[in-house]
Amino acid sequence: MDIAAAQLPPPGGIVLDHIAHFVPDLAAARAALEALGFTVTPESAHRTQHGPAGSSNVCVMFERGYLEILAPTLDTPNAREIRAEMARYAGVHLGCLGTPDAEGEQRRLQAHGFEPPELVNLSRPFEGSTVRFSVVRAAKDRMPEGRIQFVQHHTPEAIWRPQYWNHPNSAVKLACLFVAADDPVAAAARWAHFAALLPRPAGAYVHLATARGSVLVGRREDWAALLGDAPAPPALAGYALECRDSGALAARCELLGLPLRRLRTDLYAAAQPEALGGSLIFGTRKGLGLPT
């Protein structure tokens, strides 16, 4: 299978592309990720069509989707927004859906009242190549949980490389993004409108399935009961990863002394290291209850 090409959704399709932790110290975040058994990409700085974006990142690439670890580096509007979000709570502040048509999403969001700012064409150097992608965001007050956006990858082959998607902890997929809301039904309806997805009840939560990966919306108290803690809404409470062997990552968490709970066979919840913040659920495909 061509892993890079598989990241791109088909025409009309939407996938859960990536999430991002906002962190003050990329080096500390990298060390935490490597201790958890993730392979981490080199650091690179973002540029927009107008110049430096004021942020740098490292990434954890999976066979499907990825994690981004994003830090502010300059005094730009983008960097100031990242710092303001970090002041709210430590952890995940960005949820991104993959699209084959960023310009089309821009027009759709504008027509549906999400007041997207200008489409941003981003790039960053990466090991002799240039990673290029286009990003469309909702206005902050329209999707208050965080930086909620669409991305269209133009050069997936530049970043999805075999040496970066193989992880000692056997993680293979970004499976789900967790959203904390005071009113999960209303919030899920808004997310459904934003992403053109169909919300469905899932116990105490509301589930929105993309062509690859999901969004799960619930109350803070329900997330806290499941994860051990959760930020005050509106917020992004964490995410789920699929692993080939959940025990490999569980052993890493135990070695680091992280709070770890076994939810059921092959399914765990853990607090992330302080350098990352937030919470994580991980398990095998069977443990997560995903279709084969």
Side-chain angles (χ1 to χ4, degrees), residues 43-132:
E43 179 180 339
S44 59
H46 292 104
R47 291 188 62 87
T48 74
Q49 62 264 43
H50 304 301
S55 60
S56 292
N57 75 0
V58 297
C59 294
V60 175
M61 312 305 296
F62 301 124
E63 294 177 22
R64 286 153 288 174
Y66 69 102
L67 310 180
E68 180 183 21
I69 315 301
L70 190 64
T73 55
L74 302 173
D75 185 18
T76 62
N78 172 54
R80 289 193 290 271
E81 180 183 327
I82 293 170
R83 292 186 178 100
E85 288 298 300
M86 287 193 296
R88 291 180 58 213
Y89 63 88
V92 179
H93 291 280
L94 183 153
C96 186
L97 301 172
T99 176
D101 183 10
E103 291 184 353
E105 302 296 353
Q106 177 87 1
R107 293 190 297 269
R108 185 179 63 82
L109 293 182
Q110 186 66 54
H112 287 266
F114 286 94
E115 299 183 4
E118 176 189 25
L119 184 148
V120 179
N121 293 310
L122 285 160
S123 65
R124 54 189 178 91
F126 186 76
E127 296 193 330
S129 299
T130 300
V131 181
R132 296 186 298 104

Side-chain angles (χ1 to χ4, degrees), residues 7-34:
Q7 306 307 316
L8 304 179
I14 295 295
V15 298
L16 178 60
D17 187 79
H18 71 280
I19 62 88
H21 290 260
F22 289 0
V23 303
D25 186 338
L26 273 183
R30 168 188 285 279
L33 289 164
E34 290 175 343

